[in-house]
Amino acid sequence: MSEPVQTPQTFPTRIFSGIQPSGGLTLGNYLGALKRFVQKQDEGIETVYCLVDMHAITVWQDPARLRQQTREAAAGFIAAGIDPARSILFNQSQVTAHAELAWIFNCVARMGWMGRMTQWKDKTAGKNAEAASLGLFAYPALMAADILAYKATHVPVGEDQKQHLELTRDIAIKFNNDYGVNFFPITEPVIEGAGTRVMSLRDGTKKMSKSDPSDQSRINLTDDADTISKKFRKAKTDSEPLPSDLDGLKDRPDARNLVNVYAALADMTPEAVIADYAGAQFGTFKPALADLAVAKLSPITTKMSHLMQDPAEIDRILGEGADRANAIARPIVDEVYDIIGMIRSRHV
Ligand code: AQP
């Protein structure tokens, strides 16, 4: 990849992040992304949040379900605390700058960079990679376009997206070098807190994912209190009690995951959770975790289902967000066309 250049960071702070409406939102999306999106908004930073429906179709989506999932994700954002008056909230396909810049980045990024992406490898592992969509392979270039169409300086994400953020930086650096400009910022990932890597409840070595075939592996933001409790009580663990320090969880991924989830939900450090539950059996810890999860998630679930009763209002919010997003991204992408030498006579 290109040698990193020292680009002065003279760009105003702007946060961008997104979530794919490729299924219902999970506890992983909530703790790794959504909860932190709300914190950034509440810190008063300019925040742009996107339901990346064009990423979702890198694997086949039933059209009616995609529409439903996009509205449901928007409802999830608002129910979790995103205020569409303070943050920009929209779905990606309504702002064409994303697709336009993605094509340009397809021409900047190198095949070898994409081939090294672990998410590409994971998603095609054991399958016929030749049959995967070209979009799935090129996904990180679209993600770079999502971010850089806003010249976003910071992107809160879960641990799984770290490599894609590094690629975004490489694309920005190569573009700036190739055209001799200091046009794009070198975006910083923001990966912080205990919830950046929530693992499957059935296998503590695999991330919790909305596309996991087992519904028992994840908590969905639409699960009712009873379902949340049952899933935590049945979560895979070992037969040992909780240790007295974090080191004791090193080779116990399932137990470690539950401690991390507790910490992220309670806004505690994992060390503090271990201090409270040292020596406790899972028969004690799991019900406490289930109660905590229900207390934190139930208000969100209730608000989501209320919002979902008015899909036209959700569409209105997304449309308004798209107009505000377009007002930022359009001039940036028009300037990119100019930098790379494309005639834009209709826009003069
Ligand atoms: N398990 C997780 N722990 C912490 N953070 C997570 N995120 C996703 N899963 C976890 C974070 O949520 C944001 C949106 O991710 P995404 O839905 O756009 O894509 P993904 O990472 O591919 O999520 P899934 O659930 O695994 O989706 P599918 O199954 O469709 O591929 C990101 O910030 C991500 O880090």
Side-chain angles (χ1 to χ4, degrees), residues 24-27 215 218-223 228 231 297 301:
L25 297 181
T26 69
L27 181 65
D215 191 60
R218 64 178 163 264
I219 303 291
N220 305 299
L221 287 196
T222 47
D223 285 344
I228 294 174
K231 284 182 179 174
L297 300 180
T301 312

Side-chain angles (χ1 to χ4, degrees), residues 43-344:
E43 285 167 21
I45 303 170
E46 186 182 9
T47 42
V48 183
Y49 295 131
C50 185
L51 307 169
V52 286
D53 47 9
M54 285 159 54
H55 283 279
I57 61 160
T58 54
V59 294
W60 193 80
Q61 302 289 333
D62 173 79
R65 283 184 67 111
L66 180 60
R67 252 188 296 277
Q68 165 81 4
Q69 285 161 191
T70 306
R71 290 185 182 124
E72 203 173 272
F77 271 61
I78 298 166
I82 295 299
D83 172 1
R86 284 188 289 154
S87 291
I88 297 180
L89 176 63
F90 68 107
N91 60 308
Q92 185 186 27
S93 58
Q94 295 210 67
V95 179
T96 55
H98 293 243
E100 294 173 51
L101 190 57
W103 178 257
I104 294 165
F105 287 169
N106 280 344
C107 303
V108 172
R110 308 288 93 183
M111 295 282 285
W113 300 3
M114 299 296 180
R116 283 193 282 278
M117 294 296 109
T118 51
Q119 197 173 89
W120 159 254
K121 290 185 197 163
D122 289 349
K123 288 201 168 177
T124 51
K127 298 182 195 146
N128 178 8
E130 298 278 311
S133 74
L134 183 56
L136 189 66
F137 187 68
Y139 165 118
L142 176 58
M143 180 164 160
D146 299 335
I147 296 164
L148 295 174
Y150 301 89
K151 295 193 176 181
T153 53
H154 296 83
V155 180
V157 277
E159 185 74 43
D160 60 310
Q161 292 295 333
K162 193 170 172 212
Q163 197 188 26
H164 289 162
L165 256 296
E166 278 159 14
L167 190 116
T168 298
R169 292 161 66 90
D170 284 318
I171 288 177
I173 290 167
K174 185 163 171 13
F175 181 94
N176 287 347
N177 280 345
D178 285 355
Y179 293 100
V181 290
N182 178 25
F183 188 73
F184 287 122
I186 312 306
T187 308
E188 295 287 340
V190 184
I191 302 172
E192 54 196 13
T196 56
R197 204 169 155 71
V198 177
M199 309 310 274
S200 158
L201 299 182
R202 307 305 309 156
D203 177 354
T205 64
K206 249 174 70 182
K207 86 163 182 167
M208 183 180 286
S209 181
K210 42 178 125 64
S211 59
D212 191 311
S214 163
D215 191 60
Q216 296 301 312
S217 70
R218 64 178 163 264
I219 303 291
N220 305 299
L221 287 196
T222 47
D223 285 344
D224 60 26
D226 195 39
T227 308
I228 294 174
S229 280
K230 280 201 185 115
K231 284 182 179 174
F232 274 120
R233 284 163 202 259
K234 283 195 191 149
K236 185 170 167 243
T237 40
D238 48 49
S239 52
E240 300 293 310
L242 282 170
S244 54
D245 60 32
L246 270 191
D247 261 5
L249 287 177
K250 236 179 22 217
D251 300 318
R252 299 173 63 188
D254 299 297
R256 192 186 167 97
N257 183 39
L258 296 189
V259 169
N260 279 345
V261 168
Y262 191 108
L265 282 168
D267 291 315
M268 292 166 72
T269 60
E271 288 83 353
V273 176
I274 284 292
D276 283 357
Y277 285 96
Q281 299 290 342
F282 282 104
T284 307
F285 184 69
K286 281 180 174 179
L289 172 57
D291 288 350
L292 173 66
V294 167
K296 296 284 180 180
L297 300 180
S298 282
I300 299 175
T301 312
T302 307
K303 188 157 184 208
M304 259 175 94
S305 70
H306 178 72
L307 290 163
M308 282 301 286
Q309 285 165 16
D310 192 354
E313 173 59 10
I314 294 178
D315 293 0
R316 191 197 62 75
I317 290 170
L318 292 176
E320 204 175 280
D323 287 344
R324 288 166 62 207
N326 190 55
I328 302 173
R330 186 72 259 157
I332 291 175
V333 173
D334 281 342
E335 217 179 319
V336 170
Y337 282 127
D338 191 44
I339 290 169
I340 66 178
M342 293 192 171
I343 294 168
R344 307 285 288 160

